[in-house]
Amino acid sequence: MESRTVETNVCSSESLNGGQNVWSCSKSDDSSADHLVVMVHGILGSPMDWKFGAEQFVRMLPDKVFVHCSQRNTAKLTLDGIDVMGERLAEEVLEVIKQKPNLCKISFVAHSVGGVVSRFAIGRLFRPSTRKSSENLLSKSFEEESRGTIGGLEPMNFITVASPHLGSRGNKQVPFLFGLTALEKVAGRVVYWIFGRTGQQLFLTDNDDGKPPLLKCMVEDYGELCFMSALSSFKRRVVYSNVGYDHIVGWRTSSIRRKSELPEWEDTLNEKYPHIVYEEHCEACDSKQCDPSETKGDGFDELEEEVVAGLSKLSWEKVDVSFHGSRLWFSAHMLIQVKDQFMHLEGTDVIQHVIDHFLV
């Protein structure tokens, strides 16, 4: 059932696949909006988790974007595994594109495990712009000029918010375990019984048909899935991370850093973005820098090091966020997304930052 908000000139409706579409009510804006923004929620989530963010995108870029909040992996379906969810998301995106033929560009904005699911989905949706094989693509640098499409559209922004890119296996990667090695080891053994295949894959304990852990596979083009070629095709790759008080996803895993690479940060004086405390642009590393053997001794789990080294073959924009002085500091994982537009409004400046820097 379509609903219209006259005051903000934002329209929304449930799509045929159950997701939530959000666009400008102005007919002229709607007809000119050719940029699909796919917003993906986290574990046990729903499309409503991105309601505030989706509406802000349309208010600020009414003639540019058409927003789709993903529905295919909701609630307990988020426990089925990153690969299963990624396949579902890829199918959902193709259905949206088919229903909106004027779309030319595509971006992803994903929260928590949704960021890793989105990485799997784009690996499925990627198509080279030439007839060259994936093997030929891999023979060249990932950082060369974009040479492919995502679902037939031009890839623009790939943005994740508090996403566990390195998994949850390493020390302090799941902060509510207090960094206690014994607890972290026990969690790795019992995680399947709590978070299903998704938990196994995040703790890098999955071993489907003798294959390496999925997160390790996803730092290269693996089989018919072009994970890294897909990531490299986006003009921007951005990670937003909580520096503390995120009890679900640690700072290192969400910012794709080793412990030694975590920056010193200070409370910001920026009135527009009061919770943004550090920003940096990390260039793609060379082959030696990306060699896991060169970084041993940093307290890293060996598998985790292979993942961070693989992802570091691409350049990333990294934005660090702090809610240390916030009233709901203990809800940093939800504040950074503004999951609830009444309880979590303190995170509005983070959403503003995402949109202000968004490449349209």
Side-chain angles (χ1 to χ4, degrees):
M1 189 72 181
E2 185 177 296
S3 61
R4 292 177 181 267
T5 308
V6 177
E7 294 82 2
T8 58
N9 202 32
V10 173
C11 290
S12 65
S13 70
E14 187 173 308
S15 64
L16 295 177
N17 57 40
Q20 196 75 13
N21 291 331
V22 186
W23 69 97
S24 172
C25 292
S26 167
K27 289 185 178 181
S28 60
D29 287 343
D30 181 41
S31 61
S32 63
D34 64 353
H35 192 153
L36 173 62
V37 181
V38 181
M39 306 193 82
V40 187
H41 59 74
I43 204 160
L44 300 176
S46 78
M48 294 302 292
D49 295 351
W50 274 118
K51 182 178 186 297
F52 178 82
E55 292 178 351
Q56 287 297 102
F57 258 99
V58 173
R59 288 189 188 108
M60 300 187 67
L61 303 170
D63 61 334
K64 305 294 185 184
V65 301
F66 178 87
V67 181
H68 177 76
C69 298
S70 174
Q71 163 74 21
R72 196 58 60 86
N73 299 297
T74 58
K76 291 184 179 180
L77 292 177
T78 58
L79 309 182
D80 291 343
I82 293 165
D83 51 347
V84 174
M85 289 190 286
E87 296 285 4
R88 291 180 189 143
L89 177 59
E91 291 176 3
E92 182 177 5
V93 170
L94 289 176
E95 290 173 8
V96 174
I97 294 171
K98 186 177 180 180
Q99 296 162 18
K100 190 81 172 170
N102 68 311
L103 294 171
C104 298
K105 306 172 186 176
I106 188 169
S107 292
F108 285 77
V109 181
H111 178 245
S112 195
V113 75
V116 188
V117 172
S118 296
R119 280 175 45 209
F120 188 100
I122 64 173
R124 173 64 71 192
L125 293 168
F126 176 79
R127 293 293 180 273
S129 58
T130 69
R131 296 183 179 179
K132 294 180 180 179
S133 66
S134 296
E135 184 178 344
N136 289 333
L137 289 176
L138 285 171
S139 68
K140 297 185 178 182
S141 169
F142 281 127
E143 284 294 299
E144 288 187 11
E145 195 70 24
S146 172
R147 60 182 79 73
T149 62
I150 301 295
L153 305 181
E154 180 184 4
M156 301 297 287
N157 308 268
F158 189 88
I159 301 169
T160 66
V161 181
S163 293
H165 289 290
L166 310 184
S168 306
R169 175 188 180 104
N171 182 244
K172 296 184 180 180
Q173 298 294 52
V174 183
F176 77 79
L177 296 176
F178 306 109
L180 299 176
T181 303
L183 282 179
E184 291 172 342
K185 287 183 177 179
V186 170
R189 295 191 185 102
V190 304
V191 68
Y192 175 79
W193 303 106
I194 305 172
F195 293 112
R197 288 186 72 245
T198 301
Q200 276 188 316
Q201 291 168 344
L202 287 175
F203 274 81
L204 284 78
T205 58
D206 55 308
N207 183 29
D208 295 345
D209 300 323
K211 295 177 182 178
L214 179 63
L215 292 189
K216 181 181 177 182
C217 296
M218 289 174 60
V219 297
E220 57 184 333
D221 287 358
Y222 192 85
E224 62 180 8
L225 295 165
C226 301
F227 297 121
M228 291 296 281
S229 291
L231 260 183
S232 71
S233 69
F234 284 84
K235 288 183 168 54
R236 298 177 66 230
R237 289 165 297 279
V238 194
V239 288
Y240 285 78
S241 312
N242 280 311
V243 302
Y245 296 120
D246 187 325
H247 301 298
I248 309 299
V249 178
W251 187 11
R252 288 206 329 270
T253 188
S254 59
S255 64
I256 315 178
R257 292 185 179 111
R258 302 173 180 88
K259 184 178 179 180
S260 61
E261 295 170 341
L262 293 175
E264 296 290 334
W265 61 272
E266 298 178 353
D267 288 331
T268 181
L269 298 176
N270 190 324
E271 293 183 3
K272 187 173 184 180
Y273 312 120
H275 298 108
I276 305 294
V277 295
Y278 194 86
E279 297 181 63
E280 68 173 333
H281 186 279
C282 297
E283 297 294 341
C285 67
D286 59 33
S287 57
K288 183 176 181 180
Q289 291 172 320
C290 287
D291 183 355
S293 64
E294 295 292 322
T295 54
K296 288 183 178 179
D298 194 26
F300 245 42
D301 173 272
E302 186 175 333
L303 273 175
E304 186 182 327
E305 170 56 35
E306 291 183 36
V307 176
V308 73
L311 289 174
S312 298
K313 293 176 182 177
L314 299 176
S315 60
W316 293 88
E317 296 173 41
K318 300 183 179 181
V319 183
D320 298 308
V321 179
S322 172
F323 291 104
H324 281 66
S326 301
R327 180 173 54 88
L328 296 176
W329 52 268
F330 51 85
S331 296
H333 193 65
M334 293 175 282
L335 284 169
I336 197 171
Q337 180 194 19
V338 190
K339 184 174 182 178
D340 184 290
Q341 58 184 327
F342 299 106
M343 289 184 61
H344 305 134
L345 270 181
E346 283 184 277
T348 300
D349 63 306
V350 179
I351 302 299
Q352 182 74 46
H353 189 278
V354 171
I355 299 171
D356 286 348
H357 295 79
F358 195 77
L359 191 61
V360 294

